[in-house]
Amino acid sequence: MLTRSKAPPSEQADSEESSKLPPTAEKPSKTFILPSAASDEARFLQLPNPQTGDLNRYYFCPKLGVYEFTVIASPSQSPRSILFTPKSYTPAPGEKGQEPTTGSITKLAQLLVATPIDVIFFLVPLLCSTSSQAKGLFQPLDDIIDSQDDISKHLRHVLYNETFKDTLQARVEAICDSVEAGDEKMFRFSEAKFLKELVAKAERMVAQGLPASMEERFIRQALATPLMSVKREDTTTNGVSTNSNEGEGESQDSKETPATTASSTSASTPSGQSTPATEVSPEDPGASDNVARLLRISTALSFMKDSYLSAALRTKVDELLTSVDSPIDFKPMHDHLKRVAELRAEALASRSLGDFSRKRDADDDEGAEARAEKKRRKEEEEKKKKVGESRGVRDLKKVNTIGMKKMSAFFAKAAPKKNS
């Protein structure tokens, strides 16, 4: 009987290599980036989402407030992982060193960053509920909270926290009408005050600057006007020699030709002519700084409404924004956007009439894009199939099968014999 007391060198190398790799987490772990100034009483809580009402994870610190989590992840096309290693530590001379620790790898490169959220978005569903609004009366904050039977225990922990009570009451006063009743304050939800608070938040967002992606998509593209005319300069030189006192004369003609697309500006010109220069139509309404500012505020308001307000409350806010009592007037912005839409319609109509070289409309372009996308997807699928094929299958495909019968021919029914 033969026994093997020592593993082959290849197996030993594999075992040593695997032992050196950091262990991977068996369960999908999550990486949170939390505020460093949080107190020891900070906790993870399940609070109702202000927009949908579903329970989501939040981070609550009585000293700092409520935080939501913004997910930062790698795209699905290029998955990544994260390696966590302990901080290197060099012991002082004569000090006993720490035991070596191992790192770990997360298979999903995802960071959950804690970002502050105003607590008024959690209070608005309670303050403007049908029970309290139907009465239309001033009530103490504790009575308003106690009248809600379906409040989750985690939200009650936030609302009844003694350390957070002063901050909570200050935020309630910002969106409610209040009266003094002895030593107690009573509140009633005010839609006008809530709208002013939203507008103030939007103005602060604009003052700090919108993200570059939002600025490009919702501001610059919305205010961009089409090219309505092109100015082309033709330069010709006529040399006339009369006498020593007369020099050469030059004449320059400027012609203005209509154009609708940028492609017409790159049309070929005869030699001796200058490169065509684009010129915006004199009727083009240039976007003023006020219009751009109003559009940024409107974009910030739309972001907050879509992220933190319910559908019913969004409708009320939109009605207040269009009313006479609105704290901000968006009429100049709407008028400018309407004029830009008219210019784009005119440019599209003139292009369809004047550009005979391209007769495809928007539907044809979409169809071409769909066909290109389908072709690209088909090529990717074929490429994946080729990668998954074994070497034997690839070699069989290279065999010359000219003159050979197919396998199905052997299983076909034989033709009936003719009677002689």
Side-chain angles (χ1 to χ4, degrees):
M1 182 176 179
L2 298 177
T3 59
R4 187 175 61 185
S5 60
K6 191 175 182 181
S10 59
E11 293 184 6
Q12 283 186 347
D14 294 341
S15 61
E16 290 177 0
E17 185 178 357
S18 61
S19 62
K20 292 179 181 179
L21 293 176
T24 57
E26 295 181 359
K27 295 182 180 180
S29 58
K30 296 183 181 296
T31 306
F32 295 89
I33 298 180
L34 305 176
S36 58
S39 62
D40 296 337
E41 298 178 359
R43 295 290 184 272
F44 287 97
L45 301 179
Q46 292 282 343
L47 302 179
N49 188 297
Q51 181 194 14
T52 61
D54 300 333
L55 292 178
N56 291 343
R57 181 187 286 110
Y58 293 89
Y59 186 73
F60 171 65
C61 175
K63 186 175 67 174
L64 302 178
V66 183
Y67 288 79
E68 63 179 345
F69 289 103
T70 303
V71 180
I72 301 176
S74 59
S76 57
Q77 295 82 3
S78 56
R80 297 175 180 272
S81 58
I82 301 178
L83 170 64
F84 292 96
T85 59
K87 187 177 180 180
S88 59
Y89 173 73
T90 304
E95 184 181 358
K96 185 178 180 181
Q98 296 180 349
E99 296 182 358
T101 56
T102 58
S104 61
I105 295 176
T106 58
K107 295 182 179 179
L108 183 62
Q110 188 180 76
L111 299 177
L112 286 85
V113 183
T115 53
I117 177 175
D118 199 337
V119 73
I120 63 171
F121 293 116
F122 298 96
L123 294 171
V124 167
L126 306 179
L127 297 172
C128 67
S129 60
T130 55
S131 58
S132 60
Q133 284 292 95
K135 299 176 183 178
L137 303 175
F138 289 90
Q139 293 178 290
L141 181 59
D142 292 340
D143 292 352
I144 296 175
I145 297 173
D146 292 338
S147 63
Q148 306 293 328
D149 298 331
D150 54 348
I151 297 180
S152 63
K153 61 179 182 179
H154 287 182
L155 183 57
R156 287 186 182 275
H157 170 72
V158 175
L159 299 177
Y160 286 114
N161 189 282
E162 291 296 330
T163 308
F164 192 61
K165 188 175 182 180
D166 294 338
T167 303
L168 188 68
Q169 188 163 349
R171 299 309 297 147
V172 171
E173 291 178 0
I175 59 174
C176 291
D177 298 326
S178 60
V179 294
E180 294 284 348
D183 297 336
E184 192 175 21
K185 272 193 175 183
M186 306 180 74
F187 303 97
R188 182 179 63 188
F189 180 67
S190 173
E191 295 176 352
K193 280 192 171 184
F194 178 61
L195 179 58
K196 289 181 180 179
E197 189 68 22
L198 290 180
V199 172
K201 287 180 177 294
E203 289 177 346
R204 287 196 296 270
M205 291 174 63
V206 172
Q208 294 176 1
L210 296 179
S213 57
M214 294 181 66
E215 183 76 20
E216 176 65 27
R217 180 176 179 182
F218 298 105
I219 309 301
R220 294 178 184 173
Q221 293 184 9
L223 297 177
T225 54
L227 184 66
M228 300 300 294
S229 65
V230 173
K231 185 177 181 181
R232 186 177 64 186
E233 297 180 355
D234 300 335
T235 305
T236 58
T237 305
N238 297 326
V240 181
S241 58
T242 55
N243 50 33
S244 59
N245 295 329
E246 294 181 355
E248 296 181 352
E250 295 182 356
S251 64
Q252 183 176 4
D253 297 332
S254 299
K255 298 180 181 179
E256 187 171 331
T257 58
T260 56
T261 59
S263 60
S264 61
T265 62
S266 60
S268 60
T269 57
S271 60
Q273 295 180 353
S274 62
T275 304
T278 59
E279 180 184 358
V280 181
S281 172
E283 299 179 357
D284 178 25
S288 62
D289 294 339
N290 184 41
V291 171
R293 174 180 169 274
L294 290 175
L295 185 56
R296 291 187 180 97
I297 294 176
S298 177
T299 303
L301 283 173
S302 299
F303 173 77
M304 286 187 288
K305 288 187 297 182
D306 295 339
S307 301
Y308 303 114
L309 302 185
S310 61
L313 195 56
R314 285 200 300 267
T315 304
K316 292 181 181 179
V317 170
D318 292 336
E319 292 175 356
L320 289 175
L321 285 173
T322 56
S323 65
V324 182
D325 300 331
S326 174
I328 188 169
D329 184 15
F330 288 110
K331 189 176 183 302
M333 180 196 71
H334 292 309
D335 293 342
H336 182 82
L337 294 179
K338 184 179 179 181
R339 177 58 181 155
V340 170
E342 292 175 355
L343 288 176
R344 289 177 179 174
E346 293 175 4
L348 183 61
S350 60
R351 181 176 64 178
S352 60
L353 292 174
D355 190 3
F356 298 102
S357 61
R358 296 185 61 189
K359 297 183 179 180
R360 294 182 303 174
D361 54 2
D363 295 337
D364 294 336
D365 293 340
E366 292 178 359
E369 292 178 0
R371 288 191 295 271
E373 179 67 19
K374 186 177 180 181
K375 183 179 179 181
R376 184 186 62 80
R377 199 180 302 115
K378 186 177 180 181
E379 290 177 353
E380 289 181 356
E381 291 176 357
E382 291 178 355
K383 189 176 180 181
K384 289 180 180 178
K385 288 181 180 179
K386 290 181 180 179
V387 172
E389 288 180 352
S390 63
R391 181 179 178 182
V393 174
R394 289 197 299 268
D395 292 342
L396 285 174
K397 287 184 177 181
K398 297 177 183 178
V399 175
N400 187 5
T401 59
I402 298 175
M404 296 183 182
K405 288 185 178 182
K406 295 183 178 180
M407 290 294 295
S408 59
F410 294 96
F411 300 96
K413 291 183 179 180
K417 295 181 179 180
K418 294 182 180 180
N419 296 327
S420 56

